[in-house]
Amino acid sequence: MIGDQAGTSGGIHGGWTGTVLRVNLSRATIKKESLRQDWAREYVGGRGLGARYLWEESDPNVDPLSPKNKLLFVTGPLTGTNASCGARYMVVTKGALTGAITTSNSGGHWGPELKCAGYDMIIVEGRAPRPTYLWIHNDEVELRDATHLWGKGVWDTEEMIRSESGVPDTIVASIGPAGENLVRFASIMNDLHRAAGRSGVGAVMGSKMLKAIAVRGTGGVKLADARGFMAASWAMKAKLKESAVTAEGLPTYGTEVLVNVINEHGAMPTRNHTETIFEKAEDISGETLTETRLVANKACFACTIACGRVTKLPGEASSKFMVNTNPRNWKIAGEGPEYENAWAMGADCGIGDLDALIKTGWLCNDYGMDPITYGATLAAAMEMYEKEIITNSITGMPLRFGSADALVAMAEKVAFRDGFGDLLAEGSKRLTARFGHPEFFMGVRGQEFPAYDSRAIQGMGLGYATSNRGACHLKSYTVSPEILGIPTKMDPHVTEGKAEITKIFQDITSAVDATGLCLFLTFGVGLEEMLPQLVAATGVSYTMDSLTQAGERIWNLERLWNERAGLGKGSDTLPKRMLEQPIPSGPAKGMVNRLGEMLPEYYRLRGWTADGKVTAAKRKELGLV
Amino acid sequence: MAKQLRIIPEKCTGCIQCELACSFVQTGTFQPARSLIRVHLFDDQASYAPYACFQCDEAWCLTACPVNAITISAAAAKVVVPELCVGCGLCTIACPYGTVWYSPDTHKAVKCDLCAGDPACAHACPTGAIEYVDTPAADWLGPWAADLNQTHAEMRSGGGA
């Protein structure tokens, strides 16, 4: 187990603040509690600490949109430090889209601001009787009426709270109309364009009538060993400057750098995964975005990569889609698109119009909803429309693959649950089941796939199938070895070795997610480069072994939580299209995902039973209850 | 001519590493609210600009101080001598750039002292948006001021309503 350095058992010396804020909206109470330090050491922070609190406090069988579900905002011990990319906070709850535990993470400035205000995490319970927002200004914490904010977009909400509070540096995390209207893939937004995007965390917030959490913190984040921390932090930054991805690829082209790469491998899911090469990839690529639409890079708090894209639409495009949307939302500059949303709303819907993707990305940010699930759900609807399962009388407008007009118009209808948008707002699993065609749902545990076809990249199939929060690119990004060759190149078409790499990636990713650092660091540095900062910040003598084990502990706890929620046996699988329908063309032509070759070995490496149950021995080894 | 902070806003990504470095030098913690260099985010214009005291020749803060608590250091920085400062706040009002602060902790004025000739913000900036170079104090503001004068002249000559 994780040991203490002399003295740390007596208190917290740095990294964590040691204080948890508990807010009960039903009773309108606010309490400050001491952080459970034993849990902090074992689960580090962020995703891990959140899972531990949720495990202790919340029944996995509750309805995610009921007052009994809890909503946790959790920072890590490195959040708010100058460690590169120490910007992250994690939203942990039962997902409205999936019914599984979800851990949705966001950058920007909100997490660090919460630390500066003096809190490691916020636990939100119950449901407010009327729209409410939480105001935090250092020690001053109160619930405020949000009736006047209800119905407003994210961007207006941030501005209005700032101006009415008279504290201009306030950082706001909020939901938009999508969260209020319980769109199952609503997100929680901060800093206008940063999102805790997936699994419907925004719908959970909306079900609690909590419009926003506004934070201003003027305190500082302390360090147990300041000198050691600064040395470790500079060493990691030097490494990041040497990496082709973190020093060149991401700063130059943003995450969109992947469009051409993935497309060339024949791994870009196109038209609801019926193909894997998108003929218009070049039009929506990072290269095109940079040459024609980019204004500037934008960094999150303390980030030395700055992958964020500030983009501006050219004059002729600025009025192109206005007919279908509220002019209030129309601005000429914003951020994005990122790779995942450019793929979901682009290739997956067959749309090669970059301006429409930028515009709809902004709409998703202002309405507060996840563009990945939105795009993928629209893609499933488009496939049903093309196959004449649904018609204009249901959809209200043609939903042909490639229709940019449909993409922009439906975004607004989904956010306000207007017409066919009301059905899209349920996500593609519920949508396709409603029309008797569940086979057009492309995802796992109710959550839609991200932008990598698992037939062309075998390891991703195993990662999707076993991901605790449903299909996800952020929990075991084996694209890194399989396509990018980081840390070493693996053949994406074979299954050999994928069980092992998936387990390693899942555990390490869980650990990184717990520290408060950004996952993008892992393109340039390993966990061993992050470790010295964590040790110096907290004063806890973590080792590579104990930190990786913390990651494994987190993974297993999430798994146990899902088992309790009834998502155990048999749920680690992929849609038939992935398992049985070969890719029609391109470099991966003829391939299916061979999950059956990987899953048994994966269970064995995890130390679970042959049908994937966490064993008593494994629980004991990891110190799990 | 002495070394000054030269800021190149086009290179800034808004990461606030400079604020973190500055607050660390002063407090030993990461506390952006105490930073003497501040990054302003202009979201509407997609631009960010760090700004700090650029040690102007006029030194209005120094001139305004009633107890002569602001002096010029070996690094050619205008520095507050805490032992002499009475916390009246006149310098914070006198500074035309808003780069002298009043510390609620010490009840004294606080401003950039160029870290005694080795400014932490310039070291910390990952994109080279903050340079510590030989430059005349008002040099980089010249074109901006000229622009502004032009606009004002136009307004005075009847361009504005």
Side-chain angles (χ1 to χ4, degrees), chain A residues 114-443:
Chain A
L114 185 67
K115 287 283 286 282
C116 285
Y119 310 101
D120 290 310
M121 64 189 284
I122 305 174
I123 301 173
V124 181
E125 308 170 336
R127 170 186 286 157
R130 70 188 70 82
T132 297
Y133 78 91
L134 181 65
W135 168 255
I136 302 172
H137 189 182
N138 298 325
D139 290 345
E140 175 196 332
V141 185
E142 62 185 44
L143 291 167
R144 291 184 174 176
D145 181 53
T147 312
H148 60 301
L149 300 171
W150 207 250
K152 301 283 182 203
V154 164
W155 303 344
D156 282 347
T157 302
E158 290 195 15
E159 248 173 65
M160 288 173 74
I161 291 179
R162 252 180 231 124
S163 75
E164 74 186 33
S165 68
V167 183
D169 292 331
T170 303
I171 311 284
V172 179
S174 66
I175 55 168
E180 296 171 9
N181 296 323
L182 308 182
V183 171
R184 287 202 182 259
F185 45 89
S187 54
I188 297 172
M189 306 294 303
N190 58 281
D191 299 275
L192 305 178
H193 293 279
R194 298 289 117 206
R198 299 215 76 190
S199 316
V201 292
V204 175
M205 190 154 158
S207 76
K208 301 195 170 308
M209 304 292 277
L210 182 63
K211 179 65 178 174
I213 303 181
V215 190
R216 174 61 178 149
T218 58
V221 177
K222 294 186 182 68
L223 304 163
D225 167 15
R227 187 181 294 263
F229 181 88
M230 291 308 270
S233 162
W234 291 121
M236 189 176 84
K237 281 173 198 158
K239 274 254 179 182
L240 288 172
K241 282 203 162 170
E242 292 166 9
S243 150
V245 179
T246 56
E248 288 162 34
L250 283 173
T252 310
Y253 297 117
T255 52
E256 274 254 87
V257 69
L258 284 165
V259 172
N260 285 330
V261 177
I262 300 301
N263 201 50
E264 278 158 21
H265 280 81
M268 174 163 289
T270 300
R271 286 176 274 272
N272 203 32
H273 291 66
T274 52
E275 298 155 71
T276 61
I277 295 178
F278 185 43
E279 67 284 358
K280 291 179 182 160
E282 186 62 42
D283 296 349
I284 62 167
S285 68
E287 289 81 345
T288 303
L289 183 74
T290 303
E291 279 161 27
T292 64
R293 302 288 184 266
L294 183 73
V295 181
N297 286 25
K298 188 169 181 180
C300 291
F301 180 98
C303 174
T304 56
I305 301 173
C307 69
R309 311 276 90 184
V310 178
T311 44
K312 207 169 182 175
L313 289 176
E316 69 271 16
S318 62
S319 57
K320 194 162 143 195
F321 302 110
M322 273 190 82
V323 283
N324 297 317
T325 56
N326 188 337
R328 183 185 65 77
N329 297 308
W330 189 252
K331 300 194 177 181
I332 55 158
E335 288 177 43
E338 300 300 324
Y339 171 62
E340 297 293 337
N341 78 38
W343 159 77
M345 302 190 298
D348 206 30
C349 293
I351 297 168
D353 184 329
L354 184 59
D355 291 328
L357 302 187
I358 292 175
K359 165 71 179 163
T360 318
W362 296 348
L363 287 179
C364 285
N365 290 354
D366 194 22
Y367 294 148
M369 62 190 197
D370 169 21
I372 305 179
T373 287
Y374 167 60
T377 302
L378 186 63
M382 283 174 165
E383 184 171 6
M384 291 197 293
Y385 185 90
E386 298 276 1
K387 293 186 167 141
E388 296 178 358
I389 296 160
I390 51 175
T391 58
N392 280 345
S393 65
I394 293 168
T395 60
M397 71 182 294
L399 293 188
R400 297 257 171 240
F401 278 124
S403 168
D405 287 340
L407 178 76
V408 182
M410 280 298 162
E412 185 169 25
K413 289 186 181 299
V414 169
F416 293 95
R417 282 188 173 268
D418 175 20
F420 187 62
D422 190 34
L423 303 184
L424 289 172
E426 291 291 297
S428 56
K429 184 173 184 183
R430 290 173 175 87
L431 176 77
T432 54
R434 184 189 176 97
F435 293 102
H437 287 275
E439 71 275 17
F440 296 138
F441 163 62
M442 291 297 123

Side-chain angles (χ1 to χ4, degrees), chain A residues 80-82 116 192 216 218-223 226 229-230 234 237 241 295 297-304 306 310, chain B residues 12-17 20-21 24 28-34 38 41 43-46 48 120 123-127:
Chain A
T81 69
N82 84 333
C116 285
L192 305 178
R216 174 61 178 149
T218 58
V221 177
K222 294 186 182 68
L223 304 163
F229 181 88
M230 291 308 270
W234 291 121
K237 281 173 198 158
K241 282 203 162 170
V295 181
N297 286 25
K298 188 169 181 180
C300 291
F301 180 98
C303 174
T304 56
V310 178
Chain B
C12 176
T13 64
C15 77
I16 76 167
Q17 284 279 357
L20 295 168
F24 184 79
T29 71
F30 298 114
Q31 192 174 5
R34 289 284 173 273
R38 296 289 170 99
L41 304 178
D43 275 308
D44 288 349
Q45 291 147 54
Y48 334 94
H123 280 293
C125 180
T127 61

Side-chain angles (χ1 to χ4, degrees), chain B residues 15 25 32 41-42 52 56 68 70 80-82 104-105 108 128 139 154:
Chain B
C15 77
V25 167
L41 304 178
F42 300 98
C56 64
N68 296 327
I70 297 180
V80 179
V81 181
D105 300 334
K108 290 178 193 297
D139 185 26
E154 281 164 15

